[in-house]
Amino acid sequence: MDMLRLLSEMPKVDLHIHLDGCVKPATLMRLADQRGIALPSNVESDLLPYVQVGEDCTNLTEYLTKFDFVLPFLQTGEALEQVAFEVVEQAAEHRIRYIEVRFAPQLHRKDGLSAGDSIHHVIEGLKRGEARFGVKARVIAICMRNHSVAANMEVIEAASHYLGHGLVAVDLAGDETTYPASLFREVFALARTLGIPVTIHAGEAAGPENIEEAVLHLGASRIGHGVRLKESASVMSMIRELRIPLELCPTSNIQTKAVNGWDAYPIREYYDQGILFTVNTDNPGVSGTDITKEYRVIAEKFGFTLVEITTLILNGVEASFLESNEKADLKRDFEEILEKLGVYDLKKH
Ligand SMILES: [Zn+2]
């Protein structure tokens, strides 16, 4: 089997994918129709510029505007279930066998859902997808940087009721430049008190000080992106020693200008220096990508070999927020498939 075929066939995980960054134009048209909202066009391809960025995207703020277009259609339990189900369907098409889907409950309440209701509906959609497509799927609830402490505390509180019942962690996302991680200590102290694992978007639109703050004061055991880690040697060695995985999302990281182009993307440097990281899609719809493409890009641009990619895939299993027995099962499952594909030798591990 050639490399491209293998990349597509290999079992994969996606640990960093946003629910509202995966809505297909066809689904959007259906949801708009149900709600009686007119779209700028009724031709699928004409809708793409409204929901997708290109390489000419100037920064994270511009990237985030694409979500404003989609959010009004994701305000009912039914819509949330449908979109969550489709995320699992799309994952299955790319041989993803485990996915952690994140979304911000407070952004889906315009029609009267509570934060807890919205989590419930996303979990229901994922469960339906899991049953249909055999992809294990869990939720991460996101707190927003531009929301009040009270609104974010409400998310943590709601998330705690679903921990172990479909939800695995909480996160912080949004405008990192304006709202540094240090503003959210109280919010994530509550997550720690309630025993909810934490991942934080950091080192994407702002520097490594946000990564340091997320780990030391917000209790992050993973970092969303962390692309700018390399700007501080001391934070870099801390992340290496604590074995905190970065959730890298190559295409998205280039589009949001976390670094200035592929030449400056530090993925090879991080690999060679022993920084743990996983490869993820962030927003397949907005970025026009999928997980197979992400692996193809790092193979083509940075010379990642099949052996190295196998390591990255298994890093992803290890970095998942699954319970340890489920994680062990998943790892076994992956190793067996990888061995059958001829890229892994169980006897050597
Ligand atoms: Zn993200």
Side-chain angles (χ1 to χ4, degrees), residues 150-178:
N152 283 327
M153 297 284 240
E154 196 178 1
V155 171
I156 304 284
E157 186 69 43
S160 73
H161 297 293
Y162 293 92
L163 185 64
H165 302 282
L167 179 142
V168 287
V170 287
D171 177 22
L172 176 65
D175 178 357
E176 190 188 349
T177 319
T178 315

PDB file of all heavy atoms in Angstrom, residues 150-178:
ATOM      1  N   ALA A 150     -19.195  34.442  35.928  1.00  0.00           N
ATOM      2  CA  ALA A 150     -20.427  33.726  36.306  1.00  0.00           C
ATOM      3  C   ALA A 150     -20.896  32.790  35.190  1.00  0.00           C
ATOM      4  O   ALA A 150     -21.264  31.639  35.438  1.00  0.00           O
ATOM      5  CB  ALA A 150     -21.520  34.731  36.656  1.00  0.00           C
ATOM      6  N   ALA A 151     -20.890  33.297  33.942  1.00  0.00           N
ATOM      7  CA  ALA A 151     -21.338  32.465  32.808  1.00  0.00           C
ATOM      8  C   ALA A 151     -20.419  31.255  32.647  1.00  0.00           C
ATOM      9  O   ALA A 151     -20.880  30.150  32.362  1.00  0.00           O
ATOM     10  CB  ALA A 151     -21.353  33.297  31.525  1.00  0.00           C
ATOM     11  N   ASN A 152     -19.138  31.451  32.856  1.00  0.00           N
ATOM     12  CA  ASN A 152     -18.194  30.344  32.708  1.00  0.00           C
ATOM     13  C   ASN A 152     -18.300  29.351  33.870  1.00  0.00           C
ATOM     14  O   ASN A 152     -18.174  28.142  33.667  1.00  0.00           O
ATOM     15  CB  ASN A 152     -16.769  30.879  32.554  1.00  0.00           C
ATOM     16  CG  ASN A 152     -16.507  31.413  31.145  1.00  0.00           C
ATOM     17  OD1 ASN A 152     -17.062  30.896  30.172  1.00  0.00           O
ATOM     18  ND2 ASN A 152     -15.695  32.451  31.037  1.00  0.00           N
ATOM     19  N   MET A 153     -18.563  29.874  35.061  1.00  0.00           N
ATOM     20  CA  MET A 153     -18.759  28.977  36.219  1.00  0.00           C
ATOM     21  C   MET A 153     -19.971  28.073  35.979  1.00  0.00           C
ATOM     22  O   MET A 153     -19.995  26.917  36.370  1.00  0.00           O
ATOM     23  CB  MET A 153     -19.016  29.779  37.508  1.00  0.00           C
ATOM     24  CG  MET A 153     -17.871  30.652  37.938  1.00  0.00           C
ATOM     25  SD  MET A 153     -16.522  29.729  38.696  1.00  0.00           S
ATOM     26  CE  MET A 153     -16.470  30.472  40.292  1.00  0.00           C
ATOM     27  N   GLU A 154     -20.954  28.656  35.316  1.00  0.00           N
ATOM     28  CA  GLU A 154     -22.177  27.905  35.006  1.00  0.00           C
ATOM     29  C   GLU A 154     -21.858  26.722  34.066  1.00  0.00           C
ATOM     30  O   GLU A 154     -22.432  25.634  34.209  1.00  0.00           O
ATOM     31  CB  GLU A 154     -23.172  28.870  34.346  1.00  0.00           C
ATOM     32  CG  GLU A 154     -24.598  28.369  34.314  1.00  0.00           C
ATOM     33  CD  GLU A 154     -25.556  29.389  33.685  1.00  0.00           C
ATOM     34  OE1 GLU A 154     -25.104  30.479  33.262  1.00  0.00           O
ATOM     35  OE2 GLU A 154     -26.748  29.083  33.611  1.00  0.00           O
ATOM     36  N   VAL A 155     -20.955  26.962  33.128  1.00  0.00           N
ATOM     37  CA  VAL A 155     -20.547  25.899  32.202  1.00  0.00           C
ATOM     38  C   VAL A 155     -19.835  24.775  32.963  1.00  0.00           C
ATOM     39  O   VAL A 155     -20.120  23.591  32.765  1.00  0.00           O
ATOM     40  CB  VAL A 155     -19.623  26.460  31.087  1.00  0.00           C
ATOM     41  CG1 VAL A 155     -19.011  25.340  30.253  1.00  0.00           C
ATOM     42  CG2 VAL A 155     -20.402  27.423  30.200  1.00  0.00           C
ATOM     43  N   ILE A 156     -18.938  25.160  33.851  1.00  0.00           N
ATOM     44  CA  ILE A 156     -18.181  24.153  34.631  1.00  0.00           C
ATOM     45  C   ILE A 156     -19.159  23.329  35.475  1.00  0.00           C
ATOM     46  O   ILE A 156     -19.082  22.093  35.526  1.00  0.00           O
ATOM     47  CB  ILE A 156     -17.149  24.854  35.547  1.00  0.00           C
ATOM     48  CG1 ILE A 156     -16.215  25.749  34.745  1.00  0.00           C
ATOM     49  CG2 ILE A 156     -16.396  23.815  36.395  1.00  0.00           C
ATOM     50  CD1 ILE A 156     -15.137  25.073  33.962  1.00  0.00           C
ATOM     51  N   GLU A 157     -20.063  24.036  36.100  1.00  0.00           N
ATOM     52  CA  GLU A 157     -21.068  23.374  36.952  1.00  0.00           C
ATOM     53  C   GLU A 157     -21.908  22.376  36.131  1.00  0.00           C
ATOM     54  O   GLU A 157     -22.090  21.221  36.517  1.00  0.00           O
ATOM     55  CB  GLU A 157     -21.971  24.481  37.540  1.00  0.00           C
ATOM     56  CG  GLU A 157     -22.987  24.039  38.548  1.00  0.00           C
ATOM     57  CD  GLU A 157     -22.347  23.600  39.849  1.00  0.00           C
ATOM     58  OE1 GLU A 157     -21.418  24.296  40.316  1.00  0.00           O
ATOM     59  OE2 GLU A 157     -22.780  22.555  40.361  1.00  0.00           O
ATOM     60  N   ALA A 158     -22.380  22.843  34.981  1.00  0.00           N
ATOM     61  CA  ALA A 158     -23.191  21.970  34.107  1.00  0.00           C
ATOM     62  C   ALA A 158     -22.369  20.781  33.620  1.00  0.00           C
ATOM     63  O   ALA A 158     -22.841  19.644  33.590  1.00  0.00           O
ATOM     64  CB  ALA A 158     -23.714  22.773  32.910  1.00  0.00           C
ATOM     65  N   ALA A 159     -21.117  21.054  33.259  1.00  0.00           N
ATOM     66  CA  ALA A 159     -20.242  19.983  32.754  1.00  0.00           C
ATOM     67  C   ALA A 159     -20.064  18.899  33.811  1.00  0.00           C
ATOM     68  O   ALA A 159     -20.025  17.705  33.486  1.00  0.00           O
ATOM     69  CB  ALA A 159     -18.883  20.557  32.345  1.00  0.00           C
ATOM     70  N   SER A 160     -19.977  19.300  35.069  1.00  0.00           N
ATOM     71  CA  SER A 160     -19.708  18.320  36.137  1.00  0.00           C
ATOM     72  C   SER A 160     -20.795  17.255  36.201  1.00  0.00           C
ATOM     73  O   SER A 160     -20.529  16.112  36.552  1.00  0.00           O
ATOM     74  CB  SER A 160     -19.549  19.023  37.488  1.00  0.00           C
ATOM     75  OG  SER A 160     -20.809  19.459  37.952  1.00  0.00           O
ATOM     76  N   HIS A 161     -22.017  17.608  35.820  1.00  0.00           N
ATOM     77  CA  HIS A 161     -23.114  16.633  35.859  1.00  0.00           C
ATOM     78  C   HIS A 161     -22.997  15.559  34.775  1.00  0.00           C
ATOM     79  O   HIS A 161     -23.613  14.512  34.862  1.00  0.00           O
ATOM     80  CB  HIS A 161     -24.470  17.339  35.731  1.00  0.00           C
ATOM     81  CG  HIS A 161     -24.726  18.273  36.868  1.00  0.00           C
ATOM     82  ND1 HIS A 161     -24.912  17.833  38.157  1.00  0.00           N
ATOM     83  CD2 HIS A 161     -24.769  19.630  36.921  1.00  0.00           C
ATOM     84  CE1 HIS A 161     -25.083  18.874  38.966  1.00  0.00           C
ATOM     85  NE2 HIS A 161     -24.998  19.979  38.235  1.00  0.00           N
ATOM     86  N   TYR A 162     -22.214  15.861  33.734  1.00  0.00           N
ATOM     87  CA  TYR A 162     -22.078  14.912  32.625  1.00  0.00           C
ATOM     88  C   TYR A 162     -20.718  14.211  32.612  1.00  0.00           C
ATOM     89  O   TYR A 162     -20.449  13.396  31.734  1.00  0.00           O
ATOM     90  CB  TYR A 162     -22.332  15.620  31.286  1.00  0.00           C
ATOM     91  CG  TYR A 162     -23.775  16.055  31.163  1.00  0.00           C
ATOM     92  CD1 TYR A 162     -24.174  17.328  31.567  1.00  0.00           C
ATOM     93  CD2 TYR A 162     -24.735  15.167  30.694  1.00  0.00           C
ATOM     94  CE1 TYR A 162     -25.500  17.717  31.491  1.00  0.00           C
ATOM     95  CE2 TYR A 162     -26.058  15.553  30.607  1.00  0.00           C
ATOM     96  CZ  TYR A 162     -26.437  16.832  31.011  1.00  0.00           C
ATOM     97  OH  TYR A 162     -27.752  17.206  30.929  1.00  0.00           O
ATOM     98  N   LEU A 163     -19.867  14.561  33.572  1.00  0.00           N
ATOM     99  CA  LEU A 163     -18.548  13.934  33.638  1.00  0.00           C
ATOM    100  C   LEU A 163     -18.716  12.426  33.850  1.00  0.00           C
ATOM    101  O   LEU A 163     -19.408  11.994  34.770  1.00  0.00           O
ATOM    102  CB  LEU A 163     -17.733  14.552  34.781  1.00  0.00           C
ATOM    103  CG  LEU A 163     -16.285  14.077  34.885  1.00  0.00           C
ATOM    104  CD1 LEU A 163     -15.467  14.483  33.654  1.00  0.00           C
ATOM    105  CD2 LEU A 163     -15.624  14.636  36.151  1.00  0.00           C
ATOM    106  N   GLY A 164     -18.105  11.648  32.965  1.00  0.00           N
ATOM    107  CA  GLY A 164     -18.255  10.198  33.058  1.00  0.00           C
ATOM    108  C   GLY A 164     -19.513   9.698  32.367  1.00  0.00           C
ATOM    109  O   GLY A 164     -19.769   8.510  32.278  1.00  0.00           O
ATOM    110  N   HIS A 165     -20.326  10.627  31.860  1.00  0.00           N
ATOM    111  CA  HIS A 165     -21.551  10.261  31.128  1.00  0.00           C
ATOM    112  C   HIS A 165     -21.545  10.911  29.753  1.00  0.00           C
ATOM    113  O   HIS A 165     -22.557  11.454  29.304  1.00  0.00           O
ATOM    114  CB  HIS A 165     -22.792  10.695  31.906  1.00  0.00           C
ATOM    115  CG  HIS A 165     -22.850  10.096  33.283  1.00  0.00           C
ATOM    116  ND1 HIS A 165     -23.237   8.796  33.511  1.00  0.00           N
ATOM    117  CD2 HIS A 165     -22.508  10.617  34.486  1.00  0.00           C
ATOM    118  CE1 HIS A 165     -23.155   8.541  34.812  1.00  0.00           C
ATOM    119  NE2 HIS A 165     -22.713   9.623  35.421  1.00  0.00           N
ATOM    120  N   GLY A 166     -20.402  10.918  29.114  1.00  0.00           N
ATOM    121  CA  GLY A 166     -20.311  11.484  27.764  1.00  0.00           C
ATOM    122  C   GLY A 166     -19.411  12.696  27.685  1.00  0.00           C
ATOM    123  O   GLY A 166     -18.965  13.067  26.607  1.00  0.00           O
ATOM    124  N   LEU A 167     -19.167  13.341  28.827  1.00  0.00           N
ATOM    125  CA  LEU A 167     -18.281  14.510  28.825  1.00  0.00           C
ATOM    126  C   LEU A 167     -16.965  14.142  29.512  1.00  0.00           C
ATOM    127  O   LEU A 167     -16.974  13.413  30.507  1.00  0.00           O
ATOM    128  CB  LEU A 167     -18.964  15.674  29.543  1.00  0.00           C
ATOM    129  CG  LEU A 167     -18.174  16.986  29.649  1.00  0.00           C
ATOM    130  CD1 LEU A 167     -19.106  18.188  29.476  1.00  0.00           C
ATOM    131  CD2 LEU A 167     -17.403  17.119  30.962  1.00  0.00           C
ATOM    132  N   VAL A 168     -15.860  14.624  28.941  1.00  0.00           N
ATOM    133  CA  VAL A 168     -14.559  14.225  29.499  1.00  0.00           C
ATOM    134  C   VAL A 168     -13.699  15.380  30.005  1.00  0.00           C
ATOM    135  O   VAL A 168     -12.726  15.150  30.724  1.00  0.00           O
ATOM    136  CB  VAL A 168     -13.729  13.417  28.473  1.00  0.00           C
ATOM    137  CG1 VAL A 168     -14.299  12.008  28.301  1.00  0.00           C
ATOM    138  CG2 VAL A 168     -13.619  14.140  27.137  1.00  0.00           C
ATOM    139  N   ALA A 169     -14.018  16.629  29.623  1.00  0.00           N
ATOM    140  CA  ALA A 169     -13.132  17.732  30.014  1.00  0.00           C
ATOM    141  C   ALA A 169     -13.796  19.085  29.779  1.00  0.00           C
ATOM    142  O   ALA A 169     -14.873  19.159  29.177  1.00  0.00           O
ATOM    143  CB  ALA A 169     -11.828  17.665  29.223  1.00  0.00           C
ATOM    144  N   VAL A 170     -13.124  20.124  30.262  1.00  0.00           N
ATOM    145  CA  VAL A 170     -13.539  21.499  29.955  1.00  0.00           C
ATOM    146  C   VAL A 170     -12.347  22.246  29.348  1.00  0.00           C
ATOM    147  O   VAL A 170     -11.199  21.832  29.490  1.00  0.00           O
ATOM    148  CB  VAL A 170     -14.070  22.254  31.200  1.00  0.00           C
ATOM    149  CG1 VAL A 170     -15.443  21.752  31.590  1.00  0.00           C
ATOM    150  CG2 VAL A 170     -13.087  22.168  32.368  1.00  0.00           C
ATOM    151  N   ASP A 171     -12.665  23.359  28.690  1.00  0.00           N
ATOM    152  CA  ASP A 171     -11.674  24.079  27.881  1.00  0.00           C
ATOM    153  C   ASP A 171     -11.954  25.571  27.994  1.00  0.00           C
ATOM    154  O   ASP A 171     -13.008  25.988  28.499  1.00  0.00           O
ATOM    155  CB  ASP A 171     -11.843  23.593  26.414  1.00  0.00           C
ATOM    156  CG  ASP A 171     -10.937  24.274  25.405  1.00  0.00           C
ATOM    157  OD1 ASP A 171      -9.891  24.812  25.795  1.00  0.00           O
ATOM    158  OD2 ASP A 171     -11.286  24.254  24.202  1.00  0.00           O
ATOM    159  N   LEU A 172     -11.008  26.366  27.502  1.00  0.00           N
ATOM    160  CA  LEU A 172     -11.178  27.817  27.409  1.00  0.00           C
ATOM    161  C   LEU A 172     -10.784  28.222  25.993  1.00  0.00           C
ATOM    162  O   LEU A 172      -9.712  27.847  25.516  1.00  0.00           O
ATOM    163  CB  LEU A 172     -10.260  28.505  28.426  1.00  0.00           C
ATOM    164  CG  LEU A 172     -10.217  30.028  28.414  1.00  0.00           C
ATOM    165  CD1 LEU A 172     -11.576  30.623  28.812  1.00  0.00           C
ATOM    166  CD2 LEU A 172      -9.131  30.544  29.379  1.00  0.00           C
ATOM    167  N   ALA A 173     -11.659  28.988  25.323  1.00  0.00           N
ATOM    168  CA  ALA A 173     -11.366  29.391  23.944  1.00  0.00           C
ATOM    169  C   ALA A 173     -11.800  30.830  23.707  1.00  0.00           C
ATOM    170  O   ALA A 173     -12.431  31.444  24.567  1.00  0.00           O
ATOM    171  CB  ALA A 173     -12.089  28.464  22.956  1.00  0.00           C
ATOM    172  N   GLY A 174     -11.478  31.345  22.528  1.00  0.00           N
ATOM    173  CA  GLY A 174     -11.870  32.705  22.163  1.00  0.00           C
ATOM    174  C   GLY A 174     -10.644  33.585  21.986  1.00  0.00           C
ATOM    175  O   GLY A 174      -9.540  33.086  21.770  1.00  0.00           O
ATOM    176  N   ASP A 175     -10.863  34.880  22.097  1.00  0.00           N
ATOM    177  CA  ASP A 175      -9.829  35.867  21.799  1.00  0.00           C
ATOM    178  C   ASP A 175      -8.724  35.880  22.866  1.00  0.00           C
ATOM    179  O   ASP A 175      -8.842  36.506  23.915  1.00  0.00           O
ATOM    180  CB  ASP A 175     -10.523  37.230  21.691  1.00  0.00           C
ATOM    181  CG  ASP A 175      -9.556  38.362  21.439  1.00  0.00           C
ATOM    182  OD1 ASP A 175      -8.326  38.113  21.395  1.00  0.00           O
ATOM    183  OD2 ASP A 175     -10.022  39.506  21.293  1.00  0.00           O
ATOM    184  N   GLU A 176      -7.635  35.202  22.530  1.00  0.00           N
ATOM    185  CA  GLU A 176      -6.545  35.013  23.502  1.00  0.00           C
ATOM    186  C   GLU A 176      -5.726  36.286  23.701  1.00  0.00           C
ATOM    187  O   GLU A 176      -5.113  36.478  24.759  1.00  0.00           O
ATOM    188  CB  GLU A 176      -5.644  33.878  22.973  1.00  0.00           C
ATOM    189  CG  GLU A 176      -4.622  33.382  23.952  1.00  0.00           C
ATOM    190  CD  GLU A 176      -3.624  32.393  23.323  1.00  0.00           C
ATOM    191  OE1 GLU A 176      -3.842  31.935  22.180  1.00  0.00           O
ATOM    192  OE2 GLU A 176      -2.612  32.105  23.985  1.00  0.00           O
ATOM    193  N   THR A 177      -5.713  37.150  22.672  1.00  0.00           N
ATOM    194  CA  THR A 177      -4.906  38.373  22.772  1.00  0.00           C
ATOM    195  C   THR A 177      -5.499  39.342  23.790  1.00  0.00           C
ATOM    196  O   THR A 177      -4.790  39.936  24.597  1.00  0.00           O
ATOM    197  CB  THR A 177      -4.843  39.068  21.384  1.00  0.00           C
ATOM    198  OG1 THR A 177      -4.674  38.055  20.387  1.00  0.00           O
ATOM    199  CG2 THR A 177      -3.709  40.036  21.308  1.00  0.00           C
ATOM    200  N   THR A 178      -6.820  39.485  23.757  1.00  0.00           N
ATOM    201  CA  THR A 178      -7.470  40.449  24.648  1.00  0.00           C
ATOM    202  C   THR A 178      -7.664  39.893  26.063  1.00  0.00           C
ATOM    203  O   THR A 178      -7.630  40.643  27.042  1.00  0.00           O
ATOM    204  CB  THR A 178      -8.861  40.834  24.068  1.00  0.00           C
ATOM    205  OG1 THR A 178      -8.706  41.084  22.677  1.00  0.00           O
ATOM    206  CG2 THR A 178      -9.427  42.067  24.753  1.00  0.00           C
TER     207      THR A 178
END
